[in-house]
């Protein structure tokens, strides 16, 4: 009896619809775990690159040297470095057009950095919606498999004269495996989604703080230039 009700036997004896649901959920679970590990390593890399650039930025290195380094590291640069580079490039372009108004220069650099910030945030948030979908949909897919399996089990029992728990149990147990697999796929996806959403919020706050601090530095530099010009 124990052998008949083992997980493997329950899966093998399930109807083809329930088997299809189980197969789909297992595939989704594998895909979500792959997305979780990719996102885990990607966020770790983003934080490391941001910390490295922030350390260089506040070490006293000139802005032009940092821009030259960012141009060389274009392919391996982190989000903060790319945001800085976009702001500096726009600032230099406006200066080359002989625009002297401090407000125009600052607004141009800030707009370029905000646009770059949105691009970087979109890249960091990639695959997050997939995890949210897995977390919200998988239990219902599993429940569909369970309902179908129970319906199939009771249909098979309709022709029997006497129904005991021993005859009902295998069919219901087979159906419930689909819900279990659905929860197995959903729970890690929900936990990972919440963790990554919190980590991405921290990254976004850090980048926004950097944009404000860098804007203040540019403003001070422009104030110093205009004072020396006078």
């Amino acid at each position: 009896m124990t052998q008949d009700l083992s997980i493997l036997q329950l899966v093998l004896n399930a109807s083809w619809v329930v088997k299809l649901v189980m197969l789909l959920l297992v595939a989704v679970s594998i895909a979500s775990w792959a997305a979780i590990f990719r996102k885990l390593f990607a966020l770790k890399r983003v934080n490391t690159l941001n910390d490295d650039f922030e350390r260089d930025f506040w070490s006293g290195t000139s802005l032009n040297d940092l821009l030259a380094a960012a141009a060389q590291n274009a392919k391996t640069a982190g989000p903060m470095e790319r945001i800085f580079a976009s702001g500096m490039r726009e600032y230099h372009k406006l200066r080359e057009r002989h625009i002297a108004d401090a407000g125009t220069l600052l607004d141009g650099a800030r707009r370029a950095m905000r646009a770059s910030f949105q691009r970087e945030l979109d890249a960091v948030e990639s695959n997050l919606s997939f995890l949210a979908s897995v977390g919200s949909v998988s239990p219902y897919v599993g429940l569909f498999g369970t309902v179908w399996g129970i319906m199939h089990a009771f249909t098979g029992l309709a022709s029997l004269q006497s129904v005991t728990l021993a005859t009902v149990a295998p069919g219901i147990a087979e159906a419930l495996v689909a819900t279990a697999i659905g929860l197995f796929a959903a729970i890690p996806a929900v936990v990972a989604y919440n963790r990554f959403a919190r980590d991405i919020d921290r990254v976004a706050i850090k980048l926004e703080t950097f944009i404000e601090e860098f804007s203040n530095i540019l403003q001070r530099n422009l104030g110093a230039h205009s004072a020396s010009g006078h």
Side-chain angles (χ1 to χ4, degrees):
M1 193 69 178
T2 308
Q3 180 62 31
D4 292 341
L5 291 179
S6 68
I7 296 292
L8 184 61
Q9 284 301 316
L10 290 174
V11 171
L12 292 174
N13 293 333
S15 67
W16 68 269
V17 174
V18 179
K19 279 180 182 171
L20 200 64
V21 168
M22 289 177 186
L23 191 65
L24 176 66
L25 289 170
V26 168
V28 165
S29 180
I30 291 167
S32 73
W33 274 108
I36 287 167
F37 282 113
R38 274 202 309 273
K39 183 58 66 184
L40 201 64
F41 291 126
L43 279 174
K44 188 177 179 182
R45 183 173 178 273
V46 162
N47 284 320
T48 302
L49 289 170
N50 283 347
D51 290 343
D52 289 346
F53 176 73
E54 197 170 23
R55 191 170 54 249
D56 292 340
F57 183 80
W58 294 111
S59 67
T61 309
S62 74
L63 297 179
N64 289 330
D65 287 346
L66 286 170
L67 181 60
Q72 284 183 340
N73 304 331
K75 290 182 180 178
T76 58
M80 192 179 286
E81 191 168 4
R82 283 195 286 265
I83 288 169
F84 161 80
S86 64
M88 276 297 285
R89 278 196 299 269
E90 185 64 23
Y91 176 78
H92 282 309
K93 280 177 189 173
L94 293 172
R95 290 296 292 268
E96 284 167 9
R97 291 177 192 168
H98 304 293
I99 293 171
D101 181 55
T104 306
L105 289 168
L106 199 60
D107 285 346
R110 192 189 284 271
R111 275 198 303 271
M113 286 192 287
R114 295 302 302 183
S116 181
F117 168 76
Q118 287 301 327
R119 284 196 300 272
E120 295 299 333
L121 207 59
D122 286 344
V124 171
E125 286 176 343
S126 63
N127 288 334
L128 211 59
S129 58
F130 171 70
L131 291 177
S133 299
V134 170
S136 59
V137 174
S138 293
Y140 294 106
V141 175
L143 191 61
F144 166 74
T146 296
V147 170
W148 184 277
I150 290 172
M151 188 175 67
H152 184 264
F154 278 115
T155 305
L157 295 171
S159 58
L160 298 178
Q161 292 292 329
S162 62
V163 177
T164 63
L165 187 62
T167 53
V168 175
I172 293 176
E174 287 164 15
L176 289 172
V177 172
T179 296
I181 296 174
L183 292 173
F184 177 77
I187 291 168
V190 170
V191 172
Y193 174 83
N194 291 334
R195 155 83 189 272
F196 292 147
R198 193 173 67 248
D199 289 349
I200 289 168
D201 281 345
R202 285 203 196 108
V203 170
I205 290 166
K206 194 170 185 177
L207 293 176
E208 285 183 321
T209 304
F210 171 76
I211 289 171
E212 292 305 314
E213 288 172 338
F214 182 45
S215 297
N216 290 338
I217 289 170
L218 286 178
Q219 195 167 21
R220 283 199 298 273
N221 286 353
L222 287 167
H225 281 306
S226 61
S228 62
H230 289 307

